[in-house]
Amino acid sequence: MATGQLFSRTTQALFYNYKQLPIQRMLDFDFLCGTGRETPSVAGIINPGAEGFQKLFFGQEEIAIPVHSTIEAACAAHPTADVFINFASYRSAAASSMSALKQPTIRVVAIIAEGVPESDTKQLIAYARSNNKVVIGPATVGGIQAGAFKIGDTAGTIDNIVHCKLYRPGSVGFVSKSGGMSNEMYNTIARVTDGIYEGIAIGGDVFPGSTLSDHILRFNNIPQVKMMVVLGELGGRDEYSLVEALKQGKVNKPVVAWVSGTCARLFKSEVQFGHAGAKSGGEMESAQAKNQALREAGAVVPTSYEALEATIKETFEQLVEEGKITPVKEVKPPQIPEDLNSAIKSGKVRAPTHIISTISDDRGEEPCYAGVPMSSIVEQGLGVGDVISLLWFKRSLPRYCTKFIEICIMLCADHGPCVSGAHNTIVTARAGKDLVSSLVSGLLTIGPRFGGAIDDAARYFKDAYDRGLTPYEFVESMKKKGIRVPGIGHRIKRGDNRDKRVELLQLFARTNFPSVKYMEYAVQVETYTLSKANNLVLNVDGAIGSLFLDLLAGSGMFTKQEIDEIVEIGYLNGLFVLARSIGLIGHTFDQKRLKQPLYRHPWEDVLYTK
Ligand code: Q5B
């Protein structure tokens, strides 16, 4: 890199703290710079305590930028990345900047945070000076070398960067205290010259890591920089080191300078402007005194800020006339692909969605279930049966229907530790597995034999009833096909030891349902199967399956087509799955609470045979 150059088209930075937007803006700037900027300007991200990769765009491509948990690890992984862009808060900016300065690979540190303690900044400055390193900031937006490298949010949006022609180098070196004003000046300079070669905002603190004169002296050594523009501000004495440099003849290129804050004299008392350093102290620190001193030292100083643009223009045109500047040839920057989200927002494009959902919406003030806001569910005193009717059936069912759903859930919540589901859950919990593993291991046993016969019971009972089959014809036709009647039969319940749950459901339905024709049909089937074997009772699955058919058909809330669809899709096993989850969770807690050891089935209970 030539003397004075801080950055080049191959400069890469390490970015401290993951901030998606400024990093993406740096990468977008790289792309804007065209083919000269082939590598992304951010080599790695340091996100204390986290490691991995962050996906970002480099032009149209997505790239994965490595994330490191420490500054040391990042520097070791990216030895050619010599700029450290510090987006730490003011609390940790000094410590992290010092760590970065101590890394042999780091040459430039930019500190964005405002409010870094002055004593800490002084230590950073002392360390940087004695180790030949450069600090930009604190309290800075950063800097930019046009067409080569940009720090963080410098120069604002891509539109502004294009507007200010920062995608290619011009002939002007610019340095200011204020980051906000630097954006303004990039515009001004682009209007009246061939543009910026490099721009730096040193930051508004009392003790900036590098000074206006540091950068002017550096620009003076960069052959491509033909003239310089300085924007100082009242407060502090930084501008006087530039005055000294000018007086000593250390600067041999034209310097246009303005110190803002001349209005401070209109105030009766001392005035503190936005920056910590922008405070009108004694006369020497006034904008007027500094402007005068700069003028006397040889800088071109206009009579007001309003005249600054014309002064820059005149100076530039004179250099062109003298043949010292050949204005750069205009190039057309590449178009940055627009982000899909912003393009959609502005109505420029439309994109297909990947998911369609009709049961709930959480985008508003509160989630809605099938259009009913949660607060209304709570205010109306609705229960879990109503929530199920909204989320599964997408409608508010009459109270007797939702009560029936709730009774199903209560009655199926558990049936002791010996059934398939509970057994699996208990074994899993005792194997030291977590709640979800124990729960799903139990749930996975729900199927055609255990608890998951409700849908098939509804399908077969409906088909047989609707086709007018007698119970005899129905059961025998099933037997011929070799299919066990779903909803019939139980391991422990008998004709003389009925399932209480079935009786309770039947009682509720007989009292509340307008019609129980499917249930009565199931009872007739049971009468016939019981004549064959005493365990072939209507079981809880069969009772729920047949009664839900009555609910669907009798409530007047579903069309025939909807009922067929519900039966076809198979909604009703969901009732058992939901209910039994309650019990399986209970069994998991029970085993854990009892600190039960690993389960091993006894040899005596296994028939070993050939
Ligand atoms: N046979 C439930 O069988 C069980 C027949 C049948 C015609 C039938 C069996 C069955 C249909 C599926 C069903 C839900 C496997 C049950 C539940 C939840 C639970 C569980 C709990 C809880 C029981 C003996 C003879 C054989 C068979 C014949 C049996 N079932 N014929 N239709 N449905 N049902 N499942 O006792 O001539 O001797 O060869 O598959 O509805 O899971 O509490 O435990 O809350 O957790 O093992 O209530 O009925 O009878 O297999 O020895 O058969 O009866 O063909 O005839 P078993 P098997 P044959 S509720």
Side-chain angles (χ1 to χ4, degrees), residues 199-269:
I200 297 285
I202 62 165
D205 276 5
V206 179
F207 300 102
S210 50
T211 63
L212 297 173
S213 58
D214 288 339
H215 291 287
I216 290 293
L217 290 170
R218 201 167 52 73
F219 292 158
N220 198 55
N221 287 330
I222 300 175
Q224 295 93 321
V225 174
K226 309 290 186 198
M227 62 176 277
M228 279 94 85
V229 177
V230 183
L231 188 67
E233 61 187 26
L234 81 166
R237 302 199 167 204
D238 192 12
E239 289 79 358
Y240 288 106
S241 58
L242 176 56
V243 168
E244 272 315 298
L246 288 166
K247 278 185 180 165
Q248 289 167 15
K250 289 183 181 167
V251 182
N252 53 25
K253 295 175 186 174
V255 176
V256 177
W258 177 253
V259 178
S260 56
T262 48
C263 65
R265 286 215 175 135
L266 301 174
F267 297 90
K268 288 202 176 92
S269 56

Side-chain angles (χ1 to χ4, degrees), residues 385-386 389 396-408 508 512-514 548 550-552 554-558:
D386 300 279
S389 83
S396 295
L397 291 172
R399 184 62 191 135
Y400 79 85
C401 296
T402 58
K403 181 84 187 147
F404 176 75
I405 292 172
E406 282 164 10
I407 291 172
C408 290
F508 180 84
N512 295 283
F513 283 23
F548 226 97
D550 287 322
L551 182 152
L552 295 169
S555 64
M557 300 291 292
F558 300 88

Side-chain angles (χ1 to χ4, degrees), residues 596-607:
Q596 288 299 285
L598 179 66
Y599 177 83
R600 196 174 201 283
H601 204 73
W603 281 323
E604 304 77 54
D605 198 35
V606 177
L607 168 65

Side-chain angles (χ1 to χ4, degrees), residues 28-35 158 162 167 331-337:
D28 284 347
F29 173 76
D30 297 345
F31 181 72
L32 211 59
C33 294
T35 46
I158 288 298
V162 172
Y167 48 83
V331 287
K332 199 171 157 26
Q335 181 89 26
I336 300 264

